[in-house]
Amino acid sequence: MDLSFSPQDMAFRDEVRAFIARELSPETRRRVEEGRALTKADVVDWQRTLNARGWATPSWPASAGGPGWSAVQRYIFMDALYAASAPEPLSFNVSMIGPVLIEYGSPDQKDRFLKATANLDIWWAQGFSEPGAGSDLAALTTTAVRDGDHYVVNGQKLWQGMAHRADWMFTLVRTDPAAPKKQGGISFLLIDLTSPGITIRPIITIDGRHEVNEVFLDDVRVPVTDRIGEENQGWTYAKYLLSNERTGIARIGMTRRVLARVRDALGASGADGRYGREADAIEADLKALEITQLRVLAAQAAGQTDPRSSILKIKGTELRQAASELLMRVVGPAGLEFVYEGEGEAPFEAASNYFTLRAASIYGGASEVQKNIIASSVLGL
């Protein structure tokens, strides 16, 4: 494939860079640069700034209110965001539930949710993992029993990112416990988090952040009209969603930003030393991964679910972890300093990235699961 940018692509890149430089607030940029947690207002304000320009949903087609960009344009846009220390659009909304609504949602669901999702008038949370069903997601036990025009939902969800900020949750529930295959008895529901019977409890992680939560559902009534697609076909929709999530998890530009911090910390005198060579090796791997990401994006643009997104997930995660560990070793004891402010969610970047990314090889599908997908769907083993 041709990896060179056309003159039109170059002009688009300049336009994006100029927009970010003009519109991104210095305070938000500083928070991102230093690895500090963004407030809800930071995220919402930037998403709405992008949405006013028509850029909040880079992967959405024009027919759904998105910019209708090519795979290359989406890559250029995201790379520019990372390079400028700008927040990326909220992935729960833009990369996860948005594409599912576009592909499988009813006309009513699209009318109700797509514009509000793009503008962050609705903040979505992901309700997939459970205490006994994380990497083996099909083992979930949260039930939804049909009662007329509603489902009655009971169960517990775990590690729900930013559920304490969210308005709605897209979730997987078991609607047919007797299905011959456990994947066959699962449905995909949209749940209003203000519904009676929902309890959200915080989980404070080792770096002091409140990002993840437990969500308990006790006799929660959910309208049948808030089910995506057909009953017991939720596994199909979940696979589509996870393919988009795993592509985003690579975050090549974010790893480059960490490597830039490594090189700044090393200075000119350390650039040719052991740490400098380690940074060079990570950067070379990022170049190779970039080519794979462009191929996966091109496949997704053609409406295909590309199993190579699992490669992006594994290798992208490994490189993010390697870069964060290298930064910790380079900055030494200074990387262990924690500085809290605002909501108590703002540790120093080096330690924050290092601790947070230990979980990256688990969320979105553990690396072992991704290797099985690659073996069966990519290598045909």
Side-chain angles (χ1 to χ4, degrees):
M1 60 188 297
D2 185 2
L3 296 180
S4 60
F5 291 140
S6 68
Q8 292 80 9
D9 291 331
M10 299 287 281
F12 173 71
R13 184 182 65 182
D14 293 341
E15 180 185 4
V16 172
R17 288 176 174 176
F19 176 86
I20 296 171
R22 182 175 65 250
E23 300 294 339
L24 181 63
S25 75
E27 178 60 21
T28 300
R29 185 192 304 272
R30 182 189 69 82
R31 286 179 180 274
V32 174
E33 283 178 345
E34 297 178 357
R36 302 181 185 277
L38 297 175
T39 67
K40 183 173 183 178
D42 291 333
V43 178
V44 172
D45 290 348
W46 179 240
Q47 178 110 356
R48 290 176 179 172
T49 297
L50 291 174
N51 198 42
R53 183 66 179 80
W55 290 355
T57 55
S59 62
W60 294 13
S63 60
W69 286 338
S70 67
V72 172
Q73 285 177 307
R74 293 201 301 275
Y75 180 81
I76 288 172
F77 175 74
M78 296 304 296
D79 195 58
L81 290 180
Y82 293 136
S85 297
E88 59 184 298
L90 186 66
S91 59
F92 300 118
N93 285 39
V94 173
S95 302
M96 297 185 194
I97 190 58
V100 171
L101 286 166
I102 293 167
E103 186 70 18
Y104 298 108
S106 68
D108 175 68
Q109 288 168 345
K110 292 176 183 180
D111 288 343
R112 290 168 60 202
F113 293 121
L114 280 181
K115 288 184 179 179
T117 296
N119 202 50
L120 249 182
D121 297 330
I122 295 175
W123 186 306
W124 290 91
Q126 181 181 23
F128 280 16
S129 296
E130 297 182 6
S135 297
D136 183 14
L137 187 57
L140 64 89
T141 59
T142 295
T143 59
V145 178
R146 185 75 175 261
D147 180 23
D149 293 334
H150 288 77
Y151 290 103
V152 180
V153 181
N154 284 278
Q156 178 187 357
K157 297 295 179 176
L158 190 63
W159 311 123
Q160 300 337 116
M162 295 300 174
H164 57 297
R165 293 181 176 177
D167 306 294
W168 283 71
M169 177 173 70
F170 53 91
T171 192
L172 297 178
V173 295
R174 189 161 300 283
T175 42
D176 184 4
K181 292 184 64 175
K182 57 186 179 182
Q183 291 89 343
I186 293 172
S187 296
F188 193 119
L189 297 185
L190 310 177
I191 300 180
D192 184 344
L193 288 176
T194 63
S195 302
I198 293 178
T199 302
I200 299 174
R201 295 180 184 171
I203 300 173
I204 306 303
T205 51
I206 193 171
D207 59 357
R209 293 181 188 246
H210 178 196
E211 292 184 350
V212 292
N213 305 269
E214 295 176 282
V215 179
F216 297 87
L217 303 109
D218 298 298
D219 291 330
V220 178
R221 297 186 65 84
V222 179
V224 173
T225 53
D226 288 342
R227 183 192 70 219
I228 292 288
E230 299 179 23
E231 186 172 272
N232 299 324
Q233 295 301 310
W235 193 251
T236 297
Y237 317 135
K239 288 194 297 182
Y240 182 80
L241 183 149
L242 289 170
S243 175
N244 287 290
E245 180 186 4
R246 289 164 187 160
T247 301
I249 287 173
R251 288 179 170 83
I252 293 170
M254 192 176 291
T255 304
R256 283 203 182 106
R257 192 168 67 213
V258 176
L259 287 178
R261 296 296 297 272
V262 169
R263 297 189 188 283
D264 286 345
L266 287 174
S269 60
D272 296 327
R274 183 185 71 184
Y275 293 149
R277 290 192 295 271
E278 288 186 36
D280 291 341
I282 295 172
E283 192 158 7
D285 281 346
L286 280 174
K287 286 286 187 182
L289 189 64
E290 183 177 27
I291 296 172
T292 302
Q293 171 134 356
L294 288 170
R295 287 173 175 159
V296 172
L297 288 174
Q300 289 179 345
Q304 304 170 19
T305 299
D306 195 324
R308 286 177 298 183
S309 62
S310 292
I311 299 174
L312 293 177
K313 203 283 182 180
I314 293 174
K315 192 61 179 180
T317 296
E318 290 176 351
L319 293 176
R320 292 176 69 198
Q321 290 175 336
S324 71
E325 182 177 345
L326 180 58
L327 180 60
M328 280 288 287
R329 287 190 281 127
V330 167
V331 300
L336 299 176
E337 180 183 358
F338 285 79
V339 181
Y340 296 96
E341 63 184 16
E343 298 179 47
E345 301 179 352
F348 181 71
E349 179 197 34
S352 171
N353 277 338
Y354 178 80
F355 286 129
T356 299
L357 288 172
R358 298 312 94 192
S361 47
I362 300 174
Y363 62 67
S367 294
E368 292 78 5
V369 173
Q370 305 312 313
K371 290 176 182 178
N372 286 338
I373 293 172
I374 293 167
S376 61
S377 301
V378 178
L379 301 178
L381 299 178

